[in-house]
Amino acid sequence: MDQENQTMVTEFYFSDFPQFEKGSLLFFIPLFLIYMFIIVGNFMIFFAVQLDARLHNPMYNFVSIFSFLEIWYTTVTIPKMLSNLVSKEKTISFTGCLLQMYFFHSLGVTEALVLTVMAIDRYIAICHPLRYATIMTPRLCIQLSAGSSIFGFLMLLPEIVWISTLPFCGPNQIHQLFCDFEPVLGLACTDTSMILIEDVIHAISILTSVCIITLSYLRIIVVILRIPSGKSRQKAFSTCAAHITIFLLFFGSVTLMYLRFSVTFPPLLDKAIALMFAVLAPLFNPIIYSLRNKDMKDAIKKILFLCSQKTFSVSRSQ
């Protein structure tokens, strides 16, 4: 078909969401509750770190940044999923789809870099405690945080710009829960093999982060096992347990989602992996950091107490 006779796609249709009358409300309610929990839980962690002086150190600073990123990471996709569950028109504009892909993956890359920085921070704190204060200065923490964000948002820009120039002439059905590279590029009516170069770059960056984090925690575990005091050993390990759990959840879902190479999954399993990557992994972040850390639990209780006191005083004044 000649290019001038083709009808260009201006919007995409999420074809795999159930209609409202066919029970979509059963999916809407739990997804909405999960989203609210993610937002409230991560905001509480973020404000707990900012307001409690005991948590003003590099480790908790990176935890608060990670929680802040999780809020926007989930906000890029979940509200649109909720809308698709209750709306008859389960569509997204071409520009909206590009923006969703850009922010979802940019925030994801930034989170991966922050997790890498957190692993390095714990490595220095446990393996080189005497040099920790001189190495992890406030200035370096700001530079690492800003650098992670800048690199994360610049890395995906060329790919998104390239996709925006591709012709999409139909069909326009996306067989996924949100806009993602593979399902969207599959709809382009031109050769998209150049994306393999970007895929290799992404794979290298993911594997580099995984290697740095894994080596850091392996070295940490070796040092912890050499600590003679059982109490000190337990305290040192507890500070890393939450980070290791989040690392396994995050990069485990990333590996299943984007490092499968030529392996193909059944459509239902594919969507389950996407749901784990975009929804379930962020759900466990506030649970893990608030339940496994006494200082964080105390700070969150303090915030809840102050909020309840303020609410009580406002209600009394009325």
Side-chain angles (χ1 to χ4, degrees):
M1 188 182 290
D2 293 333
Q3 185 74 23
E4 59 268 18
N5 294 330
Q6 294 175 345
T7 303
M8 291 296 107
V9 170
T10 58
E11 64 180 17
F12 296 106
Y13 176 71
F14 293 100
S15 59
D16 292 348
F17 281 87
Q19 294 298 326
F20 185 77
E21 59 272 13
K22 292 184 179 179
S24 66
L25 197 62
L26 295 174
F27 298 98
F28 177 89
I29 293 172
L31 184 59
F32 177 77
L33 293 175
I34 288 171
Y35 178 58
M36 286 296 101
F37 180 83
I38 291 170
I39 298 300
V40 173
N42 281 296
F43 261 127
M44 286 178 65
I45 290 173
F46 177 77
F47 284 116
V49 174
Q50 304 306 313
L51 298 175
D52 196 317
R54 294 174 302 170
L55 304 182
H56 290 176
N57 59 55
M59 182 183 79
Y60 288 112
N61 177 57
F62 294 131
V63 168
S64 72
I65 292 170
F66 187 79
S67 293
F68 186 74
L69 290 169
E70 287 278 62
I71 293 166
W72 301 111
Y73 175 76
T74 52
T75 300
V76 170
T77 56
I78 297 181
K80 185 59 183 174
M81 290 185 207
L82 292 169
S83 172
N84 288 336
L85 286 169
V86 296
S87 172
K88 288 186 177 180
E89 295 182 0
K90 307 175 190 301
T91 59
I92 187 170
S93 68
F94 179 71
T95 303
C97 190
L98 289 176
L99 288 173
Q100 188 180 66
M101 284 193 295
Y102 173 67
F103 283 107
F104 180 72
H105 286 282
S106 294
L107 288 162
V109 171
T110 305
E111 284 188 355
L113 292 172
V114 171
L115 285 173
T116 306
V117 170
M118 288 165 67
I120 295 170
D121 170 73
R122 289 299 83 205
Y123 167 77
I124 298 170
I126 293 174
C127 300
H128 303 283
L130 299 179
R131 299 173 58 194
Y132 181 72
T134 56
I135 296 173
M136 295 302 295
T137 61
R139 182 180 178 182
L140 180 61
C141 291
I142 292 171
Q143 289 173 340
L144 290 171
S145 303
S148 297
S149 300
I150 292 169
F151 183 80
F153 278 85
L154 287 180
M155 183 179 174
L156 273 296
L157 201 56
E159 192 167 357
I160 295 297
V161 171
W162 174 68
I163 294 173
S164 69
T165 64
L166 297 177
F168 291 85
C169 46
N172 69 336
Q173 294 186 358
I174 294 178
H175 298 285
Q176 188 51 281
L177 302 176
F178 49 86
C179 288
D180 207 358
F181 292 128
E182 186 178 346
V184 170
L185 286 170
L187 301 176
C189 44
T190 187
D191 180 34
T192 59
S193 57
M194 274 195 62
I195 197 68
L196 288 172
I197 299 172
E198 285 285 341
D199 286 344
V200 170
I201 295 171
H202 293 166
I204 291 171
S205 64
I206 292 169
L207 292 172
T208 301
S209 292
V210 169
C211 288
I212 292 171
I213 295 172
T214 302
L215 290 172
S216 297
Y217 284 124
L218 285 175
R219 178 60 181 160
I220 288 169
I221 291 169
V222 169
V223 171
I224 289 174
L225 291 174
R226 290 176 180 171
I227 298 174
S229 170
K231 189 176 180 181
S232 299
R233 194 187 308 126
Q234 185 179 0
K235 184 178 179 181
F237 184 76
S238 66
T239 61
C240 297
H243 301 314
I244 294 172
T245 307
I246 293 295
F247 159 66
L248 292 173
L249 279 170
F250 183 87
F251 281 100
S253 56
V254 166
T255 301
L256 288 172
M257 192 80 177
Y258 299 110
L259 293 183
R260 62 181 72 173
F261 301 108
S262 59
V263 178
T264 56
F265 295 135
L268 187 61
L269 180 59
D270 207 35
K271 290 173 185 61
I273 293 170
L275 195 67
M276 180 179 73
F277 180 58
V279 178
L280 296 183
L283 169 66
F284 287 106
N285 177 49
I287 296 173
I288 291 167
Y289 279 124
S290 59
L291 291 181
R292 291 198 59 88
N293 191 293
K294 185 180 182 300
D295 292 335
M296 186 67 75
K297 280 194 288 188
D298 292 341
I300 290 173
K301 286 177 184 176
K302 186 178 177 181
I303 288 178
L304 291 174
F305 177 75
L306 291 173
C307 289
S308 61
Q309 283 234 326
K310 190 172 182 180
T311 304
F312 180 71
S313 62
V314 168
S315 62
R316 285 192 64 183
S317 64
Q318 292 175 349

